[in-house]
Amino acid sequence: MRIAAIVAASAFAFLPVLAKAAEAPCITPVQAASLAGYALPSVISGTTKRCSTTLSEKSFLKANGTALAQRYASRKTENWPAAKAAFLAMSKGKEGADKVFSQLPDSSLREMVDVVLEGMIVQEIPVGECGKIDNVVRLLAPLPPENTAELVALMIGMATA
């Protein structure tokens, strides 16, 4: 279990978001995977930005981070309905946030989620872990986006069980 937690945290460093999803009884595995899939482009972009000063020019993220984020972004529209349901379920009881979020047009909510995710990553990743994260991303990059999303959701589910 500890290894799964380390890998999940390192994979894209957004354990707080998906851990809440995995712990919430109202979030289905499909919703957790969709949330992961939806978040991955923002997470990859944020990780690439955060680690840009510590990684070498030959690192995977520096060389391929932008292209990888774009490849994963191709599934954002497909992932959005279940990701939105997960996001709204996670925000229930948070000082009326769920009501505010549920009233926003989809385009506004998506933009807000994207900005918040990338900003969280930029602030939260310990730069000392960038090398490990770069290696994990390199290893996961050949997988199809949907497999990576499911794997990340599964690892986080295992880590929080």
Side-chain angles (χ1 to χ4, degrees), residues 1-7 155 157-161:
M1 292 296 182
R2 177 126 172 90
I3 292 170
I6 292 167
V7 171
M155 288 188 308
M158 289 171 53
T160 58

Side-chain angles (χ1 to χ4, degrees), residues 32-147:
S34 293
L35 183 59
Y38 184 83
L40 283 171
S42 296
V43 170
I44 293 166
S45 294
T47 303
T48 302
K49 286 177 186 173
R50 175 68 170 167
C51 295
S52 67
T53 59
T54 60
L55 293 174
S56 75
E57 292 302 317
K58 294 181 180 182
S59 68
F60 183 84
L61 282 170
K62 271 204 170 174
N64 304 292
T66 301
L68 184 63
Q70 289 172 347
R71 183 166 68 93
Y72 279 72
S74 68
R75 295 187 44 86
K76 284 182 80 155
T77 300
E78 182 180 332
N79 284 320
W80 177 244
K84 177 184 176 183
F87 180 77
L88 292 175
M90 289 169 42
S91 64
K92 282 193 178 176
K94 305 264 193 236
E95 300 175 16
D98 58 325
K99 290 179 183 173
V100 172
F101 295 151
S102 65
Q103 293 175 0
L104 287 173
D106 263 11
S107 59
S108 298
L109 183 59
R110 284 179 69 161
E111 186 176 328
M112 184 196 75
V113 169
D114 291 345
V115 169
V116 167
L117 283 170
E118 189 170 324
M120 263 180 37
I121 297 306
V122 169
Q123 291 178 349
E124 297 295 324
I125 291 179
V127 291
E129 298 296 315
C130 287
K132 291 177 189 173
I133 294 169
D134 183 69
N135 196 35
V136 171
V137 173
R138 179 186 60 79
L139 293 169
L140 293 175
L143 293 175
E146 60 273 19
N147 290 64

